[in-house]
Amino acid sequence: MFSRLTLPLGAAAMALSLLATAPIAVAQDTATFAPAKLIVSSADGEELEYTVGDASFYVSTIEGYDDVPSSIDFSLSLSAITPINADLLEWTSQTEGKDKNETRTITIIGTDGSEAGEEVTYEITDAKVTSVSFSQSTYGAPSVALSLTAGSLTINGVLMN
């Protein structure tokens, strides 16, 4: 013989609702990768080296219409750039001046995320800063984020635009 436990209906409903809202642990891949190397080259050949945590590229064909020819839109976003130094600040400054209007060639060298860690190289020509954002946090080093327009993007030797 076994005993029967009875709960008032309100208590049973409360227990079921707590069970339904309890968080469920799900294993997920939390692999992280070292920041990519960012090399910014000026027209005179000077190379500045930084690290970049995130790089996003946007390439899109815009169809022509009427008397407007088709074109390709290319922009990129770089974030978590370190270290912040005078050269980076001068180029990214949004004040009028020589450096703001100067285009640069950018090379980003990262990994493909595989176990072998194959290298991926992004080469960007005629990069020009359109906006800049700065971050200061207790969770990490100060960093810069940039939005840029550019002339061309080549990934591992393949021209994308």
Side-chain angles (χ1 to χ4, degrees):
M1 188 148 204
F2 52 98
S3 69
R4 187 171 169 189
L5 176 64
T6 59
L7 292 174
L9 188 56
M14 176 70 117
L16 286 174
S17 69
L18 288 174
L19 180 62
T21 60
I24 297 172
V26 176
Q28 56 183 328
D29 184 12
T30 57
T32 58
F33 304 94
K37 183 188 318 184
L38 170 66
I39 302 166
V40 179
S41 303
S42 64
D44 64 5
E46 178 186 15
E47 288 188 350
L48 306 170
E49 190 170 313
Y50 302 93
T51 61
V52 61
D54 295 295
S56 299
F57 307 93
Y58 173 81
V59 179
S60 175
T61 300
I62 301 168
E63 294 299 322
Y65 60 94
D66 297 330
D67 292 335
V68 179
S70 64
S71 63
I72 295 178
D73 184 22
F74 171 42
S75 60
L76 63 145
S77 175
L78 306 173
S79 60
I81 301 170
T82 58
I84 299 173
N85 61 22
D87 291 321
L88 180 65
L89 293 174
E90 286 175 23
W91 180 50
T92 62
S93 170
Q94 296 297 290
T95 61
E96 289 301 319
K98 168 179 99 64
D99 286 342
K100 180 179 178 352
N101 297 317
E102 211 177 290
T103 62
R104 305 287 175 106
T105 299
I106 297 174
T107 304
I108 300 169
I109 303 169
T111 65
D112 67 357
S114 68
E115 283 188 35
E118 297 293 323
E119 209 170 74
V120 177
T121 302
Y122 306 87
E123 296 171 300
I124 299 107
T125 63
D126 300 323
K128 182 177 177 182
V129 176
T130 57
S131 68
V132 60
S133 172
F134 299 93
S135 174
Q136 176 74 46
S137 172
T138 58
Y139 298 104
S143 68
V144 174
L146 302 175
S147 291
L148 301 103
T149 59
S152 67
L153 169 64
T154 303
I155 304 174
N156 286 347
V158 176
L159 183 62
M160 301 304 295
N161 61 334

